Amino acid sequence: MALLFSDEEFQQAWTELDEPQLDGGWEFFTETMNVKIYRLYNKETGLYEYKVFGTLASCSADLCADVYMDLNYRKKWDSYVKELNEKDYDGQKAIYWEVKYPMPMSNRDYVYVRERRDLDVGGRKICVVLAKSSSVSQCPEKKGVIRVKDYKQSLAIESDGSDGTKVFMNYFDNPGGMIPTWLVNWAAKTGVPAFLTDMKKACSNYSSYCKNSK
């Protein structure tokens, strides 16, 4: 089976924990909850790619990684999830994810692959998760749902030296359809802080979820 991601892609992600790469047009976007967000304009789409740097207090790196990877648990705490599951398509695992959009907009769905690596970098324990769109012919598009075909995300996390997590995230997606670009960009500005708030709450509730789901 072909490699989904290269060693270089994993290295690029974790090195930004130490040295943010913001040359080439990246601009400061907003700051909230110990998190700074930068963006890079994409001329072809009129949308932005984002980089997120910051810390999640009171949530260990191991816990944060486990919560992020647990798809069944995400269905419990992420109110925007309509459907989320990992399936095997002819030997290739891929994730199907349908996201609820407010009326009158159509829901969006994604088919993507991801890989997690727990790295030892000079004695530092760093977790990196990479994800990107995948075209899976066995997962046809649904009527009334718009398929997001251009999606990528990378996440690198490690302990902040206390009881929290140092985080780097890079992501881009093009939701397609007739959504005004200002609305997409507004959603990014409000959506990241909201997601981080939900993520922190999900981390605090994860141990009880695991006990109850046994």
Side-chain angles (χ1 to χ4, degrees), residues 187-208:
K189 192 168 189 173
T190 58
V192 171
F195 175 79
L196 293 174
T197 300
D198 289 346
M199 183 83 176
K200 282 181 66 175
K201 187 176 180 181
C203 286
S204 66
N205 294 330
Y206 192 52
S207 61
S208 59

Side-chain angles (χ1 to χ4, degrees), residues 1 4-5 71 83-97 110-115 130-139 147 151:
M1 187 174 71
L4 299 177
F5 303 95
L71 300 181
E83 187 178 338
L84 180 62
N85 49 64
E86 188 171 38
K87 295 181 180 179
D88 193 303
Y89 299 97
D90 288 342
Q92 173 65 68
K93 284 189 175 181
I95 294 166
Y96 176 80
W97 177 29
Y110 301 71
V111 178
Y112 68 96
V113 292
R114 70 173 180 177
E115 183 179 347
L130 302 182
K132 64 183 178 183
S133 300
S134 177
S135 54
V136 176
S137 58
Q138 301 96 320
C139 189
R147 176 68 47 89
Y151 164 73

Side-chain angles (χ1 to χ4, degrees), residues 173-200:
D173 73 13
N174 182 353
M178 301 300 290
I179 304 177
T181 53
W182 67 264
L183 182 56
V184 175
N185 293 325
W186 172 83
K189 192 168 189 173
T190 58
V192 171
F195 175 79
L196 293 174
T197 300
D198 289 346
M199 183 83 176
K200 282 181 66 175

